[in-house]
């Protein structure tokens, strides 16, 4: 049995055979799994002889799919994370931490349409596939992690209280840009969200000003090296 076949079998067993019924009208789990594998393949990059891949994935779903599947999202995310880890092991990929797959609501997407965003970061522990009760869409949407979005649309999720950004292996968010230092800056979550320059060579700019440390808000524009990022709190 292949990875995608075993994914669907595990999910169906987990929720007593009702899982397939929920997917009749839209997205199928094997489709999500296949695109997740493609995302790993497309983002794999050779660093010091290792093929590094992202480990944090957020799947955007339209309103119909999100509402219909909300009671299955926790086990589905856990099983997709297991699929990603199994596939990474099979392909001899390396990730910075455990695989994590979460879901968020995007009202602009139609039924059966989804989008996967990926980033690298530290995940405290591997996800466990357990059945979960349904909850209102608003409760799940409000738990979306803050993130940075590049000009090209790539999202970098901020999953720690202190998230370092740079080119080096010690950065939770790694960006390939020759103008970015190995450890360039850090985003610090608290009562206010701040960004701190970590002694970078070329400096950190926020909304057109070079800073050592400053508060950032929704829509703040951060420039490091030749990379421009927009901060969103969720």
């Amino acid at each position: 049995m292949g990875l995608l076949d075993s994914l669907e079998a595990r999910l169906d067993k987990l929720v007593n055979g009702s899982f397939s019924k929920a997917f009749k009208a839209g997205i199928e789990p094997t489709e999500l799994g296949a695109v997740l594998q493609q995302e790993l393949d497309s983002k794999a990059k050779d660093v010091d002889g290792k093929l590094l891949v992202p480990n944090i994935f957020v799947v955007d779903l339209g309103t119909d799919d999100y509402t219909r599947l909300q009671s299955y999202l926790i086990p589905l995310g856990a099983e997709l994370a297991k699929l990603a880890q199994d596939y990474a092991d099979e392909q001899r990929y390396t990730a910075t931490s455990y695989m994590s797959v979460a879901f968020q609501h995007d009202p602009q997407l139609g039924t059966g349409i989804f989008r996967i965003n990926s980033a690298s970061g530290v995940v405290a522990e591997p996800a466990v596939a357990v059945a979960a009760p349904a909850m209102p869409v608003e409760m799940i949407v409000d738990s979306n992690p803050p993130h940075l979005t590049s000009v090209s649309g790539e999202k970098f999720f901020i999953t720690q209280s202190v998230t370092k950004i740079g080119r080096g292996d010690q950065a939770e968010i790694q960006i390939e840009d020759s103008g970015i230092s190995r450890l360039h800056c850090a985003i610090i979550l608290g009562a206010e969200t701040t960004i701190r320059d970590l002694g970078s060579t070329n400096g950190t700019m926020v909304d057109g000003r070079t800073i050592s440390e400053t508060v950032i808000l929704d829509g703040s524009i951060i420039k490091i090296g030749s990379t421009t990022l927009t901060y969103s709190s969720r």
Side-chain angles (χ1 to χ4, degrees):
M1 182 180 289
L3 292 178
L4 295 177
D5 292 331
S6 61
L7 165 70
E8 192 158 10
R10 289 196 308 271
L11 284 167
D12 207 44
K13 182 178 179 181
L14 185 67
V15 294
N16 299 319
S18 63
F19 190 83
S20 59
K21 297 177 183 178
F23 275 81
K24 277 186 177 179
I27 297 166
E28 296 183 359
T30 52
E31 184 181 8
L32 288 168
V35 175
L36 185 59
Q37 290 176 344
Q38 293 172 9
E39 181 74 6
L40 287 166
D41 290 336
S42 66
K43 293 296 177 65
K45 56 184 179 181
D46 190 336
V47 178
D48 297 330
K50 295 181 179 180
L51 285 174
L52 295 181
V53 293
N55 66 301
I56 297 171
F57 304 90
V58 176
V59 182
D60 295 335
L61 298 175
T63 300
D64 289 345
D65 289 318
Y66 198 98
T67 302
R68 185 178 69 258
L69 300 174
Q70 58 184 343
S71 61
Y72 301 100
L73 294 181
I74 291 176
L76 177 58
E79 290 295 350
L80 286 171
K82 183 180 186 306
L83 171 77
Q85 186 60 64
D86 289 345
Y87 185 71
D89 292 342
E90 188 179 89
Q91 301 299 313
R92 297 185 179 180
Y93 293 151
T94 300
T96 58
S97 186
Y98 299 114
M99 296 290 177
S100 170
V101 179
F103 296 85
Q104 66 181 8
H105 175 224
D106 186 339
Q108 296 183 346
L109 296 179
T111 302
I113 305 298
F114 64 91
R115 179 174 53 242
I116 293 183
N117 308 292
S118 61
S120 294
V122 175
V123 176
E125 58 185 12
V128 177
V130 295
M135 60 183 70
V137 169
E138 290 79 11
M139 289 179 65
I140 302 177
V141 172
D142 286 347
S143 67
N144 290 335
H147 58 274
L148 302 170
T149 305
S150 69
V151 173
S152 66
E154 185 175 8
K155 290 183 181 180
F156 302 94
F157 292 92
I158 301 166
T159 60
Q160 300 187 91
S161 57
V162 178
T163 300
K164 298 181 290 296
I165 304 170
R167 286 188 298 111
D169 294 341
Q170 294 182 331
E172 283 77 42
I173 294 177
Q174 297 176 14
I175 300 176
E176 287 299 322
D177 179 335
S178 60
I180 295 177
S181 299
R182 294 181 66 81
L183 283 177
H184 195 103
C185 60
I187 291 182
I188 303 152
L189 301 179
E192 295 181 311
T193 301
T194 60
I195 185 169
R196 176 185 302 159
D197 186 80
L198 298 177
S200 65
T201 301
N202 295 318
T204 299
M205 295 185 69
V206 175
D207 296 329
R209 297 184 301 110
T210 300
I211 60 91
S212 56
E213 183 170 348
T214 191
V215 172
I216 53 175
L217 306 171
D218 270 324
S220 288
I221 305 298
I222 300 164
K223 186 170 183 181
I224 52 176
S226 60
T227 299
T228 300
L229 304 163
T230 302
Y231 173 73
S232 297
S233 62
R234 66 179 188 181

